Protein backbone atom coordinates (compact mmCIF):
# COMPACT_ATOMS: atom_id res chain seq x y z
CA UNK A 1 0.00 0.00 0.00
CA UNK A 2 1.41 3.41 -0.92
CA UNK A 3 1.89 6.09 1.71
CA UNK A 4 -0.58 8.98 1.79
CA UNK A 5 0.26 12.09 -0.17
CA UNK A 6 2.12 14.49 2.19
CA UNK A 7 1.60 17.47 -0.14
CA UNK A 8 -1.57 18.87 1.52
CA UNK A 9 0.06 18.85 4.97
CA UNK A 10 3.29 20.39 3.69
CA UNK A 11 1.33 23.04 1.82
CA UNK A 12 -0.72 23.87 4.93
CA UNK A 13 2.46 24.10 7.06
CA UNK A 14 4.22 26.34 4.53
CA UNK A 15 1.17 28.60 4.30
CA UNK A 16 0.89 28.82 8.10
CA UNK A 17 4.58 29.72 8.37
CA UNK A 18 4.27 32.39 5.66
CA UNK A 19 1.27 33.82 7.50
CA UNK A 20 3.39 33.89 10.68
CA UNK A 21 6.19 35.78 8.90
CA UNK A 22 3.69 38.23 7.40
CA UNK A 23 1.93 38.70 10.76
CA UNK A 24 5.27 39.75 12.27
CA UNK A 25 5.63 42.50 9.64
CA UNK A 26 1.99 43.55 9.93
CA UNK A 27 2.14 43.85 13.73
CA UNK A 28 5.45 45.74 13.50
CA UNK A 29 3.82 48.35 11.26
CA UNK A 30 0.84 48.58 13.64
CA UNK A 31 3.17 49.10 16.63
CA UNK A 32 1.76 46.03 18.43
CA UNK A 33 4.90 44.94 20.29
CA UNK A 34 3.03 42.49 22.53
CA UNK A 35 1.35 40.90 19.50
CA UNK A 36 4.72 40.54 17.78
CA UNK A 37 6.27 38.94 20.86
CA UNK A 38 3.36 36.47 21.07
CA UNK A 39 4.45 35.08 17.68
CA UNK A 40 7.57 33.66 19.40
CA UNK A 41 8.06 30.79 21.82
CA UNK A 42 8.45 31.75 25.48
CA UNK A 43 12.21 31.09 25.29
CA UNK A 44 12.81 32.42 21.76
CA UNK A 45 16.17 33.85 20.79
CA UNK A 46 16.70 36.73 18.34
CA UNK A 47 20.09 37.94 17.13
CA UNK A 48 20.67 41.01 14.95
CA UNK A 49 23.68 41.14 12.63
CA UNK A 50 25.14 44.01 10.65
CA UNK A 51 26.12 41.94 7.63
CA UNK A 52 26.76 38.21 7.48
CA UNK A 53 26.77 36.34 10.78
CA UNK A 54 30.27 35.45 11.82
CA UNK A 55 31.14 38.17 14.25
CA UNK A 56 29.20 38.73 17.43
CA UNK A 57 25.64 39.95 16.88
CA UNK A 58 25.00 43.67 17.29
CA UNK A 59 22.05 42.79 19.55
CA UNK A 60 20.62 39.65 21.16
CA UNK A 61 17.21 39.23 22.72
CA UNK A 62 15.89 36.30 24.72
CA UNK A 63 12.29 35.58 25.64
CA UNK A 64 9.06 37.39 24.96
CA UNK A 65 9.61 40.18 27.51
CA UNK A 66 12.91 41.31 25.94
CA UNK A 67 11.37 40.96 22.47
CA UNK A 68 8.33 43.09 23.34
CA UNK A 69 10.57 45.82 24.80
CA UNK A 70 12.74 45.87 21.67
CA UNK A 71 9.77 45.77 19.28
CA UNK A 72 8.33 48.76 21.14
CA UNK A 73 11.23 50.88 19.84
CA UNK A 74 9.43 51.06 16.47
CA UNK A 75 7.24 53.70 18.11
CA UNK A 76 10.21 56.06 17.64
CA UNK A 77 9.36 56.24 13.93
CA UNK A 78 6.44 58.16 12.42
CA UNK A 79 5.68 55.28 10.05
CA UNK A 80 7.16 51.96 9.00
CA UNK A 81 6.45 49.55 6.17
CA UNK A 82 7.95 46.08 6.19
CA UNK A 83 7.63 44.49 2.75
CA UNK A 84 8.37 40.76 2.74
CA UNK A 85 9.73 39.30 -0.46
CA UNK A 86 10.88 35.84 -1.48
CA UNK A 87 11.17 33.13 1.11
CA UNK A 88 12.17 29.51 1.42
CA UNK A 89 10.93 27.06 4.06
CA UNK A 90 11.94 23.49 4.88
CA UNK A 91 9.48 21.63 7.11
CA UNK A 92 10.53 18.62 9.15
CA UNK A 93 7.62 17.44 11.30
CA UNK A 94 6.96 20.02 14.03
CA UNK A 95 10.09 22.00 13.19
CA UNK A 96 11.02 24.13 10.20
CA UNK A 97 13.70 26.50 9.00
CA UNK A 98 13.50 29.31 6.50
CA UNK A 99 14.89 32.48 5.02
CA UNK A 100 12.81 35.54 4.14
CA UNK A 101 13.92 38.75 2.46
CA UNK A 102 12.43 42.03 3.67
CA UNK A 103 12.70 45.71 2.75
CA UNK A 104 11.95 47.68 5.90
CA UNK A 105 11.06 51.34 5.37
CA UNK A 106 11.25 53.75 8.34
CA UNK A 107 10.10 57.39 8.25
CA UNK A 108 10.75 60.03 10.90
CA UNK A 109 11.13 63.78 11.24
CA UNK A 110 14.00 65.35 13.12
CA UNK A 111 14.60 69.07 13.39
CA UNK A 112 12.01 69.68 10.67
CA UNK A 113 13.61 67.26 8.18
CA UNK A 114 11.71 64.14 7.20
CA UNK A 115 14.02 61.15 6.69
CA UNK A 116 13.51 57.78 5.01
CA UNK A 117 15.65 54.81 5.97
CA UNK A 118 15.35 51.60 3.95
CA UNK A 119 16.95 48.45 5.33
CA UNK A 120 17.52 45.33 3.26
CA UNK A 121 17.03 42.47 5.72
CA UNK A 122 17.24 38.70 5.53
CA UNK A 123 15.61 36.72 8.30
CA UNK A 124 17.03 33.27 9.02
CA UNK A 125 14.36 31.56 11.10
CA UNK A 126 13.79 28.41 13.09
CA UNK A 127 10.12 27.63 13.62
CA UNK A 128 8.37 25.19 15.93
CA UNK A 129 4.79 23.97 16.05
CA UNK A 130 3.37 24.21 19.57
CA UNK A 131 -0.23 23.28 20.37
CA UNK A 132 -0.97 23.11 16.64
CA UNK A 133 0.37 26.64 15.96
CA UNK A 134 3.62 27.64 14.26
CA UNK A 135 5.85 30.06 16.22
CA UNK A 136 9.31 31.56 15.85
CA UNK A 137 11.83 29.72 18.02
CA UNK A 138 14.86 31.60 16.73
CA UNK A 139 15.32 34.53 14.37
CA UNK A 140 18.58 35.86 12.98
CA UNK A 141 18.03 39.29 11.46
CA UNK A 142 20.78 40.08 8.97
CA UNK A 143 21.03 43.67 7.73
CA UNK A 144 22.58 43.56 4.26
CA UNK A 145 22.46 47.30 3.60
CA UNK A 146 20.90 50.55 4.79
CA UNK A 147 20.00 53.63 2.74
CA UNK A 148 19.17 56.88 4.54
CA UNK A 149 17.99 59.96 2.68
CA UNK A 150 15.88 63.10 3.02
CA UNK A 151 12.23 62.51 2.15
CA UNK A 152 9.43 64.82 1.12
CA UNK A 153 5.86 64.54 2.37
Amino acid sequence: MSSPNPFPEQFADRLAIRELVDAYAHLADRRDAQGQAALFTEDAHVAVYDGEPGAEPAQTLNGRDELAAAFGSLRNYDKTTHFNGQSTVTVDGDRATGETYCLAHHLWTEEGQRTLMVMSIRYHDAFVRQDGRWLFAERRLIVDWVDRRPSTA
Side-chain angles (χ1 to χ4, degrees):
M1 177 174 219
S2 64
S3 61
N5 181 357
F7 180 77
E9 283 181 27
Q10 289 179 5
F11 181 78
D13 288 337
R14 289 171 188 269
L15 179 60
I17 290 168
R18 180 58 191 223
E19 288 176 347
L20 173 68
V21 168
D22 288 345
Y24 173 90
H26 175 82
L27 292 167
D29 293 337
R30 299 306 176 275
R31 309 298 190 278
D32 185 347
Q34 292 297 326
Q36 269 185 288
L39 301 175
F40 290 78
T41 60
E42 287 286 342
D43 61 348
H45 175 74
V46 173
V48 179
Y49 295 89
D50 185 17
E52 284 296 326
E56 289 296 311
Q59 182 180 23
T60 58
L61 304 162
N62 295 294
R64 287 182 179 158
D65 291 341
E66 285 185 21
L67 291 170
F71 297 153
S73 68
L74 287 175
R75 291 184 192 103
N76 294 331
Y77 300 102
D78 297 336
K79 299 281 183 187
T80 61
T81 300
H82 290 74
F83 184 77
N84 291 326
Q86 70 267 31
S87 65
T88 58
V89 174
T90 302
V91 178
D92 184 12
D94 287 337
R95 299 198 171 274
T97 56
E99 178 182 46
T100 301
Y101 283 63
C102 176
L103 289 176
H105 302 73
H106 303 72
L107 277 172
W108 73 93
T109 303
E110 188 173 41
E111 298 178 13
Q113 174 61 59
R114 185 172 138 164
T115 302
L116 170 65
M117 176 177 64
V118 179
M119 301 171 72
S120 175
I121 297 170
R122 285 178 294 125
Y123 297 110
H124 287 198
D125 296 314
F127 307 98
V128 64
R129 183 177 9 225
Q130 291 183 347
D131 300 320
R133 180 176 170 228
W134 285 101
L135 298 170
F136 294 101
E138 182 179 345
R139 177 159 256 205
R140 290 186 299 158
L141 186 158
I142 301 159
V143 179
D144 284 327
W145 54 261
V146 177
D147 183 20
R148 236 177 247 184
R149 62 187 112 152
S151 175
T152 57

